[in-house]
Amino acid sequence: MALWMSLAATAGTWVHLAAEGQVPPGPAPAATPPALLGDAFDKLMDNQGHWAYTQTHVVEGLTARLKRETVLRVDPSRPYAEQIKPLAIGGEPPTPAELEEFRGIGERAAKRRLREEGESKAHSGDELKISLNFQIVTPDLAHATVLSQDERSVTYVVPLLTKDGGSPFDAFQVTARVNRQRREFEHATIRQRAPMRVELIAKVSDSEIECDFTPVDPNFPAVITRETQRATVTILFMKRLLKLEMKRTDFRRVTPYDERFGVKVGPIRTIQF
């Protein structure tokens, strides 16, 4: 399923030029994404929710308590409440309360997926939503431009649009590097370009997200295996540098629980950052 939204140009005014032997112009053709970038996004969407993996992440910078390692087992083939299972939190086995908390996270994520699947029936279904600092945006692949390229790969700058696709969202810049031969992502960066306020007490002056894609099975496209996030946040006049490092290992190909009756559902349409 394609990810982009082709932005149709509005039809120009028809001018009668018969005396000059010219054919009146029709509507301008809709913009389309670069083929290489479009293929990479198609592969990304088609393979979402088909991998179980162990996820390890470390958060630091806000409080001493948050500087800890959390290990999760993520398995989309399990019932919703069991899809995100903590294995260790801060070096200790999860408590009953923490187990229940992650059961709720899995159930809420499932409800969001099912809601978006229902919404996609009323729309074209070819949109990807990205949640950045509680702001929902969509990538405008049709107007992506080449930043750099070599024999191995091409790096694109991908503009962002507001949720309804009506206006540019310039607070962040997205770059994505695509492997020419495999026609799939190798690396992506989301970089904040202007300060943003989160709720009323926090201000994010700069942030950056880096995603590495690695092939884990030669029969399938590369998946995100590492993600790092960094942000400078001011909370009640106190500046903090927040860091998150996430790694995924022990991949196993699975059939999503949503497809347990043999019906293929639409791809996950919202990526949370």
Side-chain angles (χ1 to χ4, degrees):
M1 182 177 292
L3 250 177
W4 56 86
M5 292 186 301
S6 296
L7 302 179
T10 56
T13 302
W14 284 56
V15 181
H16 184 65
L17 299 175
E20 298 179 9
Q22 299 184 25
V23 178
T32 58
L36 183 64
L37 182 63
D39 287 351
F41 264 85
D42 286 347
K43 290 182 178 181
L44 174 66
M45 292 298 283
D46 287 344
N47 284 273
Q48 284 192 98
H50 286 272
W51 293 102
Y53 50 83
T54 298
Q55 177 171 301
T56 302
H57 65 263
V58 178
V59 180
E60 59 179 295
L62 186 59
T63 65
R65 179 178 177 272
L66 279 179
K67 189 177 180 179
R68 61 179 184 175
E69 180 180 87
T70 301
V71 183
L72 310 173
R73 184 63 185 175
V74 179
D75 189 343
S77 69
R78 304 290 299 171
Y80 300 134
E82 302 173 17
Q83 291 186 4
I84 306 175
K85 182 179 180 180
L87 304 180
I89 299 178
E92 300 291 337
T95 65
E98 288 169 333
L99 288 171
E100 187 62 27
E101 177 184 357
F102 278 92
R103 288 175 63 88
I105 292 174
E107 291 176 335
R108 289 192 296 273
K111 289 180 180 178
R112 185 175 65 248
R113 289 198 304 271
L114 294 175
R115 182 175 65 251
E116 291 176 351
E117 173 63 15
E119 291 174 354
S120 70
K121 296 175 182 178
H123 300 86
S124 63
D126 58 1
E127 297 178 7
L128 170 68
K129 302 175 185 177
I130 302 175
S131 178
L132 293 170
N133 287 357
F134 306 102
Q135 173 77 41
I136 302 298
V137 298
T138 61
D140 182 10
L141 297 194
H143 294 89
T145 57
V146 174
L147 177 65
S148 62
Q149 58 183 310
D150 54 31
E151 294 182 355
R152 173 188 173 89
S153 62
V154 180
T155 299
Y156 297 93
V157 176
V158 183
L160 296 175
L161 299 174
T162 54
K163 182 179 179 180
D164 58 4
S167 59
F169 182 77
D170 297 327
F172 288 84
Q173 181 188 60
V174 176
T175 59
R177 188 173 75 239
V178 182
N179 182 278
R180 289 182 183 271
Q181 181 178 5
R182 298 197 309 269
R183 305 184 75 82
E184 59 194 41
F185 289 114
E186 294 182 335
H187 185 83
T189 301
I190 303 175
R191 183 175 294 109
Q192 183 178 338
R193 303 176 63 183
M196 296 184 65
R197 186 164 294 280
V198 180
E199 297 183 345
L200 297 176
I201 62 173
K203 179 181 179 181
V204 182
S205 56
D206 67 271
S207 63
E208 186 175 77
I209 303 169
E210 302 272 355
C211 299
D212 292 325
F213 295 77
T214 306
V216 297
D217 185 314
N219 297 313
F220 299 100
V223 296
I224 295 178
T225 54
R226 183 173 180 269
E227 178 184 311
T228 57
Q229 298 188 27
R230 175 199 56 77
T232 302
V233 182
T234 301
I235 302 176
L236 297 177
F237 306 104
M238 296 183 62
K239 184 175 291 187
R240 304 274 184 151
L241 178 61
L242 306 184
K243 297 180 180 178
L244 180 146
E245 182 173 2
M246 181 273 290
K247 296 180 180 179
R248 293 174 178 171
T249 58
D250 303 324
F251 284 85
R252 180 172 62 87
R253 186 76 175 181
V254 298
T255 298
Y257 184 73
D258 289 340
E259 299 179 14
R260 61 194 181 281
F261 299 121
V263 178
K264 181 175 176 60
V265 301
I268 301 171
R269 298 173 65 208
T270 300
I271 297 179
Q272 303 284 339
F273 286 109

